[in-house]
Amino acid sequence: MKEILKKAEKLGCKIPHKKWSDIDRELGPVLRAMEETGIKLDVFEFQKLKKKLKTQSSKLKAQIIKLAGKDFNLASPPQLSEILFKKLKLPADDIKKNKFGISTGASELMKLRHKHKIIDLILEYRELSKLLSTYLEPLPKLVDDDSRLHTHFGEDTRTSRLTSSDPNLQNIPIRGSFGSEIRKAFIAEKGNLLISADYSQIELRIVACLSQDVVMLKAFRDGVDIHSKTASEIFDTPVVKITNEQRRVAKTVNFGVIYGISPYGLSQTLGIEQSRAAEYILRYFKIHSGIKRYCQEQVDLAKKLGYVETLFGFQRKLPEINSPIRAVAEGAQRMAINTPVQGTAAEVLKLAMIKLYKKLSAKEAKLILTVHDELIVEAPKTEAQNVAKLMKEIMENEVKLCIPVEVEIGIGRNWNEAKNSANKS
DNA sequence: ACAATGGTCC
DNA sequence: ACTCGGACCATTGTA
């Protein structure tokens, strides 16, 4: 306990006097209550969407079979691979191989988009069948008499992050053509509203704080767009001249840092040459020397102690860090870097949940969901504005990092509306 | 029942 | 040869 406070103080943080085990103990009842409350699904809208996608998906399937010139099981990667690369003879040179032959993963198929019109149809079909089989078909069967879905929260034993299963409500689509359509069907009870509160860049803020990297600390204190700032650094270009594409690359680099970046991994994610990815990383670490030092420190610590730990003292053991197999050792190195960041982010969220749960007990409002850096509360319309203010206040101040913690709040009749009404400022 | 493949989220 | 962190879940195909 003393060690934890000392460490926090050294980093310029103000934190509750708790260790991770205290947090988890207090969180238990909060999670059980959330499971019990559940979230309401607009089953009628869900079924409507289901029918729409089913029709669309059958049409696509027919077109694909016609183009393939042979009936086959589209859901079977081996069969699809056979069709694409044997029957249609698409070039497989740049495509990853797997146990069964040539990969048909989306990232690989993307490379073939301009070789044959069947590719786009397959990608679209995959998207629809994913939505149907994972969300649209199963979820309506799981609602209770009040049309509410009850997930089961658990905890990842390695990082302490919260998990959701049966059903998993932490991977409900948000991107893609139908993501927002699906989220629109997660609604508030009549007379209520949903309030969504999102931490803004919480993991990067934690990296900045744990590493004390002066450049990144300044960026967050100045309140600048962090990805544009990184782009400006990597591409040696003024922020105002940064293109959307450059910003996108920089965003991936920033995420890469959190994950324990490697040139190969970055090149795969961005679909670029490994040498170019290496160049980005080199430039990044040259400017963010504090982050570079932090990463090295974590790896050294893991080698010396056999574990790394979060701000609140949660430990992850990493014996593989001394493995003679390089891929294994490197994997452990990435975990040494990532786990304190991801774990600390989880702890910040959990502490906010505990505080919020207590404050809401006097109100009608109820916590109903958490998705890693987001909290959702359902509240009577009359209370919504006040509850929103309360959530923001608690989430931004329960744990004080050495830089501001920022939370975006949105209110709406459904999950989509709540997220989109967040005022960007 | 289980591995492999693929895909959704943060 | 090299898989950027962490989950959960669906389907196929083999055992």
Side-chain angles (χ1 to χ4, degrees):
Chain A
M1 192 63 252
K2 235 180 185 171
E3 296 305 312
I4 291 172
L5 291 176
K6 227 193 268 175
K7 186 168 155 190
E9 199 173 307
K10 202 175 110 192
L11 294 170
C13 308
K14 265 200 83 182
I15 62 173
H17 293 197
K18 291 174 186 175
K19 52 179 184 287
W20 72 271
S21 50
D22 301 324
I23 297 173
D24 279 0
R25 186 168 30 75
E26 293 178 45
L27 189 65
V30 181
L31 294 177
R32 300 295 84 81
M34 289 167 71
E35 291 172 354
E36 168 92 25
T37 306
I39 183 165
K40 183 165 169 134
L41 191 68
D42 186 336
V43 177
F44 183 72
E45 284 301 319
F46 229 62
Q47 304 289 17
K48 254 180 31 188
L49 187 56
K50 184 173 93 183
K51 279 181 190 154
K52 183 169 142 193
L53 295 207
K54 265 191 166 165
T55 309
Q56 183 68 13
S57 133
S58 321
K59 277 187 193 160
L60 280 165
K61 187 172 178 180
Q63 288 180 56
I64 291 164
I65 299 293
K66 198 171 174 188
L67 280 174
K70 180 174 184 276
D71 195 11
F72 70 104
N73 186 351
L74 244 175
S76 164
Q79 289 185 39
L80 178 61
S81 184
E82 163 105 14
I83 294 282
L84 292 181
F85 302 107
K86 291 221 176 90
K87 191 151 191 310
L88 299 179
K89 296 186 167 34
L90 291 174
D93 309 354
D94 291 349
I95 308 298
K96 268 192 188 164
K97 310 296 182 290
N98 60 30
K99 204 165 193 171
F100 232 89
I102 303 159
S103 167
T104 66
S107 63
E108 302 307 302
L109 292 188
M110 288 289 269
K111 299 174 187 167
L112 298 169
R113 284 181 68 174
H114 301 295
K115 302 284 182 190
H116 199 296
K117 60 183 174 182
I118 198 174
I119 300 296
D120 277 336
L121 297 180
I122 291 168
L123 290 170
E124 207 181 325
Y125 174 83
R126 281 247 181 94
E127 183 188 356
L128 297 185
S129 52
K130 177 71 180 180
L131 297 178
L132 282 165
S133 71
T134 308
Y135 308 103
L136 293 168
E137 283 163 353
L139 292 185
K141 295 177 184 163
L142 299 173
V143 298
D144 66 13
D145 294 342
D146 298 321
S147 288
R148 300 184 78 94
L149 284 167
H150 305 271
T151 186
H152 297 83
F153 289 108
E155 195 179 62
D156 180 45
T157 53
R158 296 170 296 181
T159 62
S160 87
R161 283 226 293 189
L162 294 175
T163 62
S164 160
S165 62
D166 304 302
N168 182 358
L169 296 184
Q170 291 184 327
N171 70 346
I172 300 301
I174 187 166
R175 305 179 191 90
S177 19
F178 298 102
S180 57
E181 296 296 312
I182 289 180
R183 289 205 175 204
K184 275 183 199 162
F186 288 78
I187 59 175
E189 189 56 74
K190 205 167 169 56
N192 290 350
L193 288 169
L194 296 185
I195 306 154
S196 157
D198 260 74
Y199 282 104
S200 162
Q201 314 290 0
I202 187 67
E203 289 184 328
L204 281 177
R205 286 174 202 268
I206 286 167
V207 169
C209 187
L210 295 181
S211 71
Q212 297 287 300
D213 180 85
V214 288
V215 178
M216 194 175 260
L217 288 176
K218 181 172 189 313
F220 279 122
R221 286 188 179 125
D222 291 348
V224 304
D225 175 343
I226 193 73
H227 300 314
S228 298
K229 171 93 181 331
T230 300
S232 162
E233 294 161 0
I234 295 176
F235 296 107
D236 196 21
T237 304
V239 170
V240 290
K241 288 191 154 182
I242 292 299
T243 63
N244 286 341
E245 174 61 14
Q246 286 173 319
R247 185 178 181 278
R248 187 185 68 82
V249 170
K251 187 173 174 179
T252 307
V253 171
N254 276 328
F255 276 106
V257 169
I258 294 168
Y259 299 151
I261 205 160
S262 80
Y264 178 76
L266 185 63
S267 72
Q268 286 299 300
T269 307
L270 287 174
I272 59 174
E273 291 293 313
Q274 199 174 320
S275 54
R276 203 136 76 85
E279 178 69 19
Y280 292 154
I281 294 170
L282 202 70
R283 298 184 69 106
Y284 186 90
F285 280 136
K286 185 153 188 183
I287 291 160
H288 296 278
S289 58
I291 294 178
K292 187 178 182 183
R293 187 184 341 114
Y294 169 78
C295 292
Q296 189 57 52
E297 273 169 14
Q298 291 306 305
V299 171
D300 292 344
L301 225 47
K303 280 182 182 162
K304 195 173 91 183
L305 305 174
Y307 66 86
V308 291
E309 65 181 3
T310 63
L311 186 57
F312 292 85
F314 180 88
Q315 297 181 355
R316 177 174 190 169
K317 295 189 171 38
L318 290 168
E320 325 88 85
I321 199 130
N322 294 310
S323 166
I325 303 165
R326 215 182 70 184
V328 174
E330 285 177 348
Q333 287 175 19
R334 288 192 292 274
M335 293 170 201
I337 294 163
N338 174 263
T339 299
V341 178
Q342 219 172 74
T344 302
E347 290 163 344
V348 170
L349 179 94
K350 288 174 180 177
L351 282 161
M353 288 171 73
I354 291 166
K355 183 72 165 282
L356 185 59
Y357 181 71
K358 283 183 193 157
K359 294 279 185 183
L360 290 183
S361 69
K363 302 178 181 288
E364 298 256 342
K366 283 186 171 126
L367 251 171
I368 58 174
L369 198 59
T370 168
V371 190
H372 306 304
D373 63 358
E374 173 184 15
L375 290 180
I376 299 184
V377 165
E378 178 169 355
K381 281 178 185 171
T382 50
E383 271 187 358
Q385 288 295 339
N386 279 333
V387 170
K389 270 202 322 226
L390 179 67
M391 289 172 76
K392 187 170 163 73
E393 154 67 23
I394 290 174
M395 292 168 75
E396 290 184 345
N397 297 295
E398 181 63 0
V399 172
K400 284 184 181 278
L401 302 179
C402 60
I403 45 177
V405 172
E406 288 179 11
V407 169
E408 285 178 358
I409 293 269
I411 302 178
R413 288 161 302 179
N414 62 62
W415 198 356
N416 184 248
E417 199 174 278
K419 282 213 84 148
N420 287 331
S421 81
N423 66 63
K424 312 272 178 192
S425 61

